[in-house]
Amino acid sequence: AQKITQTQPGMFVQEKEAVTLDCTYDTSDQSYGLFWYKQPSSGEMIFLIYQGSYDEQNATEGRYSLNFQKARKSANLVISASQLGDSAMYFCAMALLNSGYALNFGKGTSLLVTP
Amino acid sequence: DTGVSQDPRHKITKRGQNVTFRCDPISEHNRLYWYRQTLGQGPEFLTYFQNEAQLEKSRLLSDRFSAERPKGSFSTLEIQRTEQGDSAMYLCASSVKMGAGGYTFGSGTRLTVV
């Protein structure tokens, strides 16, 4: 069974600072994808970044980067230059290539960016 | 393409009533997923379809829940004999591939059982 663990229920960061949100995963499959989603108070799920299990380079999308450590089974999200609008819930998720691509989510981390 | 549409956005029902939600995926997406999200938690997988075939169901999907995707287009999720514990946001997503931007989520249907 696959499992996603996010150990930080809540995080604070000051505007313009960088913040790392932790995510570890557990699977015996070799082919999988790792995702981060942002969910603001409006409820929509906003895709941020994707890392494939065979990708050798860490993924980056603008201010978001994914610190992928395959041997440690971790996929931490780094947000650089935090903005007030980054305040939201952040979910790490994994999909297995051999299991219909269904996303399995962690419990999430609530991020609050302060002025 | 207007993305994934879910209807209704909100539903309040009395305990014991049946409710049905609809999801219209992106037309070229052959995979469709239903999730349930309770307050402060991550979305929990319920079931998924590839075209019209329901290929996987979570243990969370009790026999009061049924989902269909006739003709591989829109999907419906029905909950019979609703219970207060069914109160949650029900999210639908569709995809055609795994990868960056491969999944599109709807805005969800918020169910309140009173």
Side-chain angles (χ1 to χ4, degrees):
Chain A
Q2 50 175 314
K3 186 177 180 182
I4 300 289
T5 303
Q6 294 181 253
T7 57
Q8 305 154 314
M11 291 281 286
F12 291 89
V13 65
Q14 202 157 17
E15 199 177 5
K16 301 178 186 177
E17 297 292 310
V19 63
T20 298
L21 306 184
D22 294 341
C23 173
T24 58
Y25 60 94
D26 186 21
T27 182
S28 55
D29 280 46
Q30 296 301 308
S31 301
Y32 53 88
L34 295 158
F35 301 77
W36 277 92
Y37 282 85
K38 172 184 177 181
Q39 189 177 44
S41 57
S42 58
E44 60 193 301
M45 294 291 284
I46 302 169
F47 166 77
L48 295 178
I49 197 165
Y50 165 81
Q51 179 87 40
S53 60
Y54 296 112
D55 295 341
E56 294 185 353
Q57 302 272 2
N58 285 346
T60 60
E61 291 281 354
R63 295 186 298 112
Y64 304 107
S65 60
L66 198 152
N67 184 1
F68 180 45
Q69 298 188 40
K70 193 170 183 177
R72 298 177 64 179
K73 294 188 176 179
S74 75
N76 298 340
L77 175 71
V78 180
I79 305 174
S80 62
S82 298
Q83 302 172 356
L84 295 178
D86 293 336
S87 295
M89 283 292 291
Y90 288 80
F91 294 100
C92 179
M94 178 169 63
L96 303 181
L97 198 63
N98 298 322
S99 185
Y101 303 178
L103 291 167
N104 184 34
F105 288 86
K107 292 186 182 298
T109 296
S110 176
L111 177 67
L112 183 63
V113 181
T114 59
Chain B
D1 198 335
T2 56
V4 177
S5 299
Q6 291 190 246
D7 184 68
R9 291 294 306 274
H10 303 274
K11 178 72 177 179
I12 300 174
T13 191
K14 291 184 178 179
R15 190 175 52 183
Q17 297 293 305
N18 298 345
V19 294
T20 300
F21 310 141
R22 177 178 170 125
C23 172
D24 286 90
I26 292 175
S27 56
E28 59 265 29
H29 285 188
N30 60 343
R31 296 172 190 264
L32 185 148
Y33 310 86
W34 284 100
Y35 291 86
R36 181 175 70 187
Q37 186 177 25
T38 52
L39 203 60
Q41 300 294 315
E44 298 171 298
F45 169 74
L46 293 179
T47 188
Y48 100 91
F49 293 83
Q50 183 166 335
N51 300 313
E52 67 274 10
Q54 188 174 20
L55 296 185
E56 189 174 345
K57 292 195 291 186
S58 162
R59 289 171 299 161
L60 293 173
L61 214 65
S62 76
D63 53 9
R64 295 185 299 105
F65 288 70
S66 63
E68 293 183 341
R69 192 184 182 196
K71 302 178 183 178
S73 55
F74 70 92
S75 175
T76 58
L77 178 68
E78 181 183 18
I79 310 174
Q80 296 182 327
R81 305 181 303 281
T82 52
E83 302 172 355
Q84 286 189 319
D86 297 330
S87 295
M89 175 74 84
Y90 290 83
L91 292 166
C92 176
S94 68
S95 78
V96 68
K97 62 170 183 171
M98 188 163 67
Y103 301 81
T104 302
F105 280 82
S107 299
T109 293
R110 180 164 296 284
L111 173 67
T112 303
V113 181
V114 298

